[in-house]
Every structure is written in C-alpha cells, then in structure tokens.
Amino acid sequence: MYEIWLVLNILWEIALGVWPLLAAAALAWVVLMILAARRPGACWRSAWGAAIIVGALVAVAAFLLVPGGTRSSLANLSYWVDWANLAAIALGFGAAAGAFVLPLRVLTGSRRTG
C-alpha cells in the first residue's frame, strides 16, 4: 500500500510542475466538446468507435514506449507495482487520446440525415 501512496504523491508533484500544460489541455478538450455538442446533427455514436480504437492503440504504444522514455526498459520492471504503474500510465495516455478523438471525430464526421 505504501508503494501506491508513493506513486500518487509522485504523480501529484509531476502534475504541479506541468499544471499550465494540463490546464491548457483541459480547456482545449472542453472547447472541443462544446463545439461538438453544438454541431447540429452530430453523430456521436459513430465517433465512439474511432475514439476507442485510437485510445487502445495509444495505450499499447505508451505501454511499450514509456519505459524507454524514462531511460528504463520492460526488463527492469520486476515488481507488480511497476507493472501496475506502467499499465495505469498507458491507460491514462490512451484515455486522453480517446477523449480528444471523440469530439474531433464528431466535428469532422458526416451529419445525420433524417
């Protein structure tokens, strides 16, 4: 349990260091969602498929690339907490990518007819 608490504290400290970037990304996402919601005849249902596929691809890529980005490797992950952290980071990247693809797909997709 201590390891999980330590990871959460580390993530909080990292977030404090990049909060302007996180705030800008959140604002951009909110603007995209508002624009997509205001689009007449927007087809949200078809956008979900693209968002899930892109999110899954980004999560897999992050799972494989994040260790190298931190000057580590998958071979260095020896403890279950290491694997859980990597999986959580990868899922976070995937969720963020999917969250941005959803309104973008609504905005660029075809409109419903009838």
Side-chain angles (χ1 to χ4, degrees):
M1 193 68 179
Y2 170 76
E3 292 90 352
I4 295 171
W5 181 250
L6 179 63
V7 167
L8 291 175
N9 282 320
I10 291 170
L11 288 175
W12 176 255
E13 292 298 324
I14 291 171
L16 287 177
V18 295
W19 74 265
L21 179 63
L22 294 173
L27 180 63
W29 181 77
V30 168
V31 168
L32 285 171
M33 290 298 286
I34 290 170
L35 291 173
R38 294 184 65 186
R39 184 170 189 235
C43 187
W44 288 88
R45 186 171 299 198
S46 66
W48 276 103
I52 290 170
I53 290 170
V54 170
L57 290 173
V58 168
V60 169
F63 190 86
L64 297 173
L65 296 175
V66 164
T70 60
R71 296 187 184 133
S72 183
S73 71
L74 291 174
N76 291 341
L77 302 176
S78 58
Y79 190 43
W80 72 268
V81 175
D82 298 334
W83 288 100
N85 288 331
L86 178 59
I89 291 167
L91 289 173
F93 275 113
F100 274 93
V101 167
L102 182 65
L104 288 172
R105 181 69 179 107
V106 169
L107 289 170
T108 61
S110 61
R111 295 181 179 172
R112 275 187 256 174
T113 56

